[in-house]
Amino acid sequence: MNMIVEVDEKSGFCFGVDLAVKKAEEEILKSGKVYCLGQIVHNDMEVKRLEDMGMITINHEQLKTLKDVTVLIRAHGEPPETYEIAEKNNIQIIDASCPIVLKFQKRVIKAHLEDDSQNQVVIYGEKNHPEVIGLSGQIGYQAIIIEKEEDLDQLDLNKPVKLFSQTTKPASSYKKIAASLSDKMLTLNENASLKVNNTTCGQVSGRDQNLIEFSKNHNVVIFVGGKKSSNAKTLYELCKGVNDRTYFISEIEDLKTEWFKQDDTVGVCGATSTPRWLMDKAKEAIEKHIN
Ligand code: SF4
């Protein structure tokens, strides 16, 4: 085969994840190991690379049993009780919460406090997503989490609503949810109070258009992403929507010869959780073993 393979320059870690990975690497180089609370990034290959260096991934139950160690908080952020446990157990925290998420947490607290008890703080996102848990935890888990349009039924449309979105949700679907909520509220009460806060992350939403163009410009698209990454799933579907010959791989072994034809142009791209080295490796594997 005679294919041209190109890696998308704009794909790869967002700056929040990049920062967290760098902090983990720094600590490992300094002291030989670091505990990380939850998967540092939704990409098994990158987690394995860091674990091979000395990172130890732990969950919240394990955190409670540790004492006198150093624990890194990943970009998604954490609820206040995590910091309380750390203090109680003499755990030193390396806080790699993304600065955008930290700002968002403060906005949630402010929204919760600024009105009377009628106030409803609503987050459009995934209930079990660590960022959403961290956000809702700031206000004692009183936020109402909306995963899909039907969940809007949980709201009292006569009471004020402050709407937020998980940072990695597509801006377009957030817009739809906000419009639908606004319609419902105004139908019921023309003085309804809805405040829509723009909290989708520009690092993610800015990639949509780029990936659409990138996918259109190649015959085959290889999307590299972690199976657990919601951002990877969303962006893969976006690419697939404009180029039917888009394939999702998590590791190099997932590549299949039958996906490629003579003289294809191949684009390799990924999510905000996809390390650049893995996309480069995919390019190399296609050039060496399939081309
Ligand atoms: S997607 Fe945005 S908010 Fe989330 S970690 Fe990355 S830079 Fe931060």
Side-chain angles (χ1 to χ4, degrees), residues 92-129:
Q92 196 203 327
I93 290 281
I94 297 175
D95 200 342
S97 304
C98 172
I100 295 173
V101 175
L102 287 177
K103 238 184 178 170
F104 187 0
Q105 290 178 348
K106 288 199 181 108
R107 288 174 74 179
V108 166
I109 297 171
K110 191 166 173 268
H112 178 65
L113 294 177
E114 71 193 354
D115 276 338
D116 55 26
S117 58
Q118 301 276 300
N119 194 27
Q120 298 171 97
V121 171
V122 179
I123 301 171
Y124 170 55
E126 292 156 45
K127 276 192 178 73
N128 295 324
H129 193 284

Side-chain angles (χ1 to χ4, degrees), residues 14-17 75-76 98-101 131 167-168 201-204 272:
C14 61
F15 90 90
V17 170
H76 293 315
C98 172
I100 295 173
V101 175
E131 180 190 298
T167 58
T168 45
C201 177
Q203 289 266 322
V204 183
T272 51

Side-chain angles (χ1 to χ4, degrees), residues 1-5 219 260-266 286-287 290-291:
M1 288 197 235
N2 186 21
M3 299 182 297
I4 295 169
V5 189
N219 301 121
F260 307 93
K261 288 188 215 147
Q262 181 77 23
D263 296 330
D264 269 341
T265 56
V266 181
I286 298 164
E287 284 173 342
I290 297 176
N291 215 352

